[in-house]
Each structure stands twice: as C-alpha cells, then as structure tokens.
C-alpha cells in the first residue's frame, strides 16, 4: 500500500518525516558536537532549567528559524536538533531543511535518551561571576543552582519606587531576580530621602524610576531593569501585570491598589501587598486563584481612611517602610522559588512602638468580586 493511501493526520505526517529525515543517536551527536557540529536544544526555558546537554545552544522551537538566521552564516554547518523525546526536533528539522539548511539531524530519543546514555548535562546558564555573586544563596539546599536560575528568569513588577519599593527592589536585585520592571510617575524630592533609600542627594529632581535604576545596576549589573515614568493606570496595568511573575505593590494610594488587586486577580498573578503609616506597617500576599484566599478588596472592601501609606500627610518613621518593604521582597522571593508558605490568607502587622509582629487570618469575603460564588 502506498503512502498516498494513508489519511493525512499528525501521526502520518510524523511517520513520513521519520522515514525521510535521517536521525542520529545521542552518542553520535555528542561525538559530532565535539568535532564541529552545532547541537541545539529546541525545548522551552522551563525544560532547560532541569538540565540540558553541556555546550548546547538553547533556542526554543518557536524562535529557531529567526534566531538561526542571525547566528549561523555558513549554511553547510552541521546542525543537530534535540528536544525532549525526539518529536519536536523532527518537525524543526523539516522546517530548517525547507529553508535550505542541508545538514540537519534530529537526535533520536531526545534529551530523555541523552540522559539515559549517561551523556554530560548541565543544569545552569549562570556565568562564573553570577555563581560567585550568589554563592551563599546557591549553597542553601532548597535554592541551589536551579533556584538561582529561576530567579534569573523571573520578572517582577515593582509598583512605586518610594519607601516600600526602595528596599524591596534593592533586595530583589541583590538576590538576582533577572528582570525588574519599575513604574512610578514621581521625581526625587529631598523630603523622600529619610525613607526612600534607593535615592540620594545626587539624584534629586530625577525621575524616581531612573534614580532607582542607576542604583540597582550599580549593585548588580547582571540584571535587567526597565523603568517606566508613568502612573499605573487602566491604559497600562493589564499588559504590565500580564508580563510579570509577581507584582510587588509599593504604591501609596487606594486607586492604584484596587487596580493592582483587580488585575492580579484577573490574570492570576500573586499580589505582594505592603502598607505603612506612622509607626506601624502591614504585609500580605493575595493570590486568589492559587491559594483559595481573598484579595485586597476582601481586606478593604471600600476605600477606608487610615489604611496606608500617605506618608506626606500622616508621616512615618523612615525605617518602618524598610521593614515592610524587606518583608515584601522576602515573600516575592519565596513565591518565585516555591519556598515555604507565602503570607496568603494572613496579614502580618508590625508595630514599631512595641517591637511586636502579629499575624492574623484574613477571611475571603463571599460577597467580594474575587469570590468563586460571584
Ligand atoms: Zn476579594
């Protein structure tokens, strides 16, 4: 029976490719890689983090054709493609051959078989400088090289570069969170400096996001910092929150806080909340989709005077936002690393006058917009 008689399905297409495109074993691929072939791991970043052949180029399937065009100038170079079990690499090879690459070979059995053959893998893409910088953190068993890579690949949106955002962003940058997106519409004023420790006399008058960016890149030049000198509002909130892993809420007004809360709920992003006033502060994590807990609106169903953080009118002891912002950074790192129990369903309150921390439960409000009954 000829191939023509076989109905066209994904499987028949795959079988056709298996017949047409010669594949090579992982052992032969490793040998040719030592000669002059280029081995490309076409899986996704979350798969690379668990391990990838030593020395492989890592280009995910969706970017392969466009990236190769820039990377490989010699069309005669031998290209070896590896995926998880040998299917994606076949389709990738088919595509590259159609473009005109002649010597393209998928690796049979993919990375799964590569490991079974005992061939060399590496779990990280940390540079020697990064490995040195984060060595004390990598040594912690629950973090290790894999956890540090998770931080490197993480994106955190920091809303506000004031008293809370300053210490939080500094610790996130120091810990190696790979991409910080800062948004704030204000400029640095001398009256900020008593608590907003990311800014300085030398940056008075600058956009706060620019002043903060300068500080963070001096501290850690290996990370990316994007600064947005705008308010967070209806025009940008969803896109920015959709594009990050965690939102660190260091804002100073209810309107923005409700906006952050609503977008985080809609897009299932963890909302790390902090607020300060005079001599006390509080912190919590709202993550309704994951933890069955409530949202910021459950805690403050409508704008209540006295919640937080208008330091300009109420005043605040400068170190209090330092304590709360640092706790927010801690919760953010825990979420990114999957460590411990985040402060979901709980409100941690700090009273500087007595030196006491108190944790109370937050009940999800069944009447709130976040309730599954709604
Ligand atoms: Zn709610």
């Amino acid at each position: 029976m000829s191939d023509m008689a076989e109905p066209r399905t994904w499987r028949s297409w795959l079988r056709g490719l298996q017949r047409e495109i010669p594949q090579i074993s992982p052992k032969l691929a490793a040998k040719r890689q030592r000669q002059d072939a280029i081995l490309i791991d076409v899986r996704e970043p979350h798969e690379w983090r668990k391990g990838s052949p030593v020395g492989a180029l890592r280009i995910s399937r969706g970017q392969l054709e466009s990236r190769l065009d820039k990377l490989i100038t010699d069309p005669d170079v031998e290209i070896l493609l590896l995926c998880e079990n040998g299917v994606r690499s076949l389709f990738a090879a088919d595509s590259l051959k159609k473009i005109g690459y002649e010597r393209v070979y998928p690796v049979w059995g993919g990375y799964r078989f590569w490991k079974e053959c005992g061939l060399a893998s590496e779990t990280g893409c940390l540079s020697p400088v990064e490995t040195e910088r984060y060595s004390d953190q990598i040594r912690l068993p629950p973090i290790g090289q894999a956890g540090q890579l998770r931080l490197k690949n993480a994106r955190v949106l920091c809303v506000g570069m004031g008293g809370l955002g300053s210490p939080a962003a500094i610790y996130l940058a120091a810990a190696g969170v790979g991409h910080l997106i800062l948004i704030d519409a204000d400029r640095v004023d001398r009256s900020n400096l008593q608590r907003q420790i990311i800014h300085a006399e030398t940056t008075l008058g600058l956009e706060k996001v620019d002043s903060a960016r300068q500080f963070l890149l001096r501290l850690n030049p290996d990370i990316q910092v994007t600064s947005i000198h705008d308010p967070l509002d209806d025009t940008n909130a969803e896109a920015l929150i959709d594009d990050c892993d965690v939102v660190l809420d260091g804002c100073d007004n209810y309107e923005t806080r409700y906006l952050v809360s609503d977008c985080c709920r809609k897009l299932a992003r963890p909302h790390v909340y902090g607020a300060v006033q005079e001599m006390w502060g509080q912190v919590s994590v709202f993550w309704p989709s994951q933890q069955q807990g409530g949202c910021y609106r459950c805690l403050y169903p409508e704008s209540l005077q006295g919640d937080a953080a208008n330091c300009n009118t109420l005043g605040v002891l400068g170190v209090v936002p330092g304590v709360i912002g640092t706790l927010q950074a801690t919760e953010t790192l825990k979420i990114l690393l999957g460590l411990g129990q985040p402060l979901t369903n709980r409100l941690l309150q700090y009273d500087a006058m007595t030196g006491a921390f108190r944790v109370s439960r937050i009940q999800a409000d069944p009447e709130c917009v976040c309730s599954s009954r709604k």
Side-chain angles (χ1 to χ4, degrees):
M1 197 179 192
S2 78
D3 289 344
M4 296 297 287
E6 193 171 2
R8 286 193 68 178
T9 63
W10 179 82
R11 289 209 168 277
S12 67
W13 187 18
L14 178 63
R15 277 197 293 272
L17 293 181
Q18 283 168 335
R19 282 193 295 269
E20 287 165 25
I21 301 176
Q23 300 169 66
I24 63 171
S25 72
K27 280 187 177 164
L28 185 56
K31 186 179 168 195
R32 292 202 187 162
Q33 188 196 9
R34 285 194 296 274
Q35 294 160 352
D36 58 1
I38 296 177
L39 176 64
I40 305 176
D41 185 338
V42 299
R43 297 175 303 155
E44 300 299 315
H46 70 272
E47 297 175 290
W48 303 333
R49 275 174 235 148
K50 293 175 195 159
S52 177
V54 170
L57 273 180
R58 288 159 199 131
I59 308 174
S60 56
R61 174 69 194 90
Q63 300 187 323
L64 185 64
E65 290 84 350
S66 59
R67 291 278 309 278
L68 268 198
D69 193 46
K70 298 186 184 88
L71 278 171
I72 296 182
T73 49
D74 177 7
D76 294 319
V77 73
E78 187 173 42
I79 298 171
L80 315 174
L81 300 173
L82 174 136
C83 62
E84 184 62 25
N85 51 29
V87 174
R88 275 175 286 176
S89 58
L90 257 177
F91 289 103
D94 183 43
S95 172
L96 293 189
K97 280 176 172 292
K98 282 174 179 152
I99 291 173
Y101 295 96
E102 296 281 346
R103 301 170 66 207
V104 182
Y105 302 96
V107 179
W108 186 83
Y111 183 62
R112 196 172 291 174
F113 194 42
W114 179 278
K115 278 191 301 182
E116 282 176 23
C117 293
L119 296 163
S121 296
E122 57 191 0
T123 52
C125 316
L126 293 176
S127 70
V129 170
E130 288 171 317
T131 304
E132 184 182 347
R133 176 189 294 276
Y134 309 122
S135 57
D136 286 356
Q137 202 159 270
I138 292 170
R139 261 205 301 281
L140 289 171
I143 299 180
Q145 188 103 351
Q148 194 61 53
L149 273 170
R150 282 175 83 162
L151 294 183
K152 182 174 177 171
N153 291 310
R155 298 167 63 88
V156 174
L157 177 67
C158 298
V159 183
M161 271 300 110
L164 297 167
S166 289
I170 290 171
Y171 271 110
L172 294 180
V177 172
H179 196 160
L180 297 176
I181 301 105
L182 318 177
I183 181 162
D184 194 308
D186 288 343
R187 289 178 180 272
V188 181
D189 182 86
R190 185 169 279 123
S191 67
N192 300 146
L193 301 183
Q194 148 269 14
R195 64 190 181 282
Q196 302 183 14
I197 57 169
I198 207 163
H199 310 300
E201 279 283 333
T202 52
T203 63
L204 288 179
L206 282 188
E207 296 171 359
K208 282 188 178 176
V209 287
D210 189 29
S211 164
R213 184 170 185 275
Q214 290 179 22
F215 185 109
L216 296 172
L217 291 178
R218 272 200 307 276
L219 173 64
N220 189 347
D222 287 326
I223 62 167
Q224 275 188 73
V225 181
T226 300
S227 50
I228 304 169
H229 181 61
D230 279 318
L232 189 82
D233 60 23
D234 290 338
T235 65
N236 57 19
E238 260 196 54
L240 287 169
I241 290 173
D242 193 30
D243 201 31
C244 72
D245 300 305
V246 178
V247 180
L248 193 141
D249 165 11
C251 67
D252 63 357
N253 64 83
Y254 298 112
E255 195 185 347
T256 311
R257 210 157 252 161
Y258 285 123
L259 178 65
V260 169
S261 178
D262 293 343
C263 289
C264 284
R265 177 175 52 80
K266 181 175 174 187
L267 299 165
R269 295 294 187 279
H271 171 192
V272 180
Y273 155 78
V276 291
Q277 178 183 303
E278 299 174 4
M279 298 288 283
W280 66 269
Q282 59 188 26
V283 55
S284 184
V285 174
F286 303 110
W287 199 358
S289 64
Q290 292 288 312
Q291 307 287 337
Q292 306 296 312
C295 72
Y296 176 70
R297 287 184 186 275
C298 293
L299 186 62
Y300 293 106
E302 52 194 50
S303 297
L304 300 175
Q305 287 299 321
D307 161 37
N310 197 339
C311 306
N312 294 335
T313 54
L314 293 167
V316 64
L317 183 70
V319 71
V320 173
V323 173
I324 299 301
T326 304
L327 288 168
Q328 288 180 273
T330 311
E331 291 303 307
T332 301
L333 293 173
K334 281 164 58 187
I335 291 167
L336 293 173
L337 291 163
L339 290 182
Q341 293 87 41
L343 267 173
T344 44
N345 304 316
R346 292 176 294 156
L347 182 69
L348 187 157
Q349 292 175 299
Y350 170 59
D351 180 352
M353 291 295 268
T354 59
F357 285 91
R358 194 166 67 94
V359 179
S360 51
R361 291 203 71 77
I362 300 175
Q363 296 293 337
D365 179 356
E367 298 302 315
C368 181
V369 288
C370 73
S371 171
S372 55
R373 293 190 215 163
K374 284 263 161 178

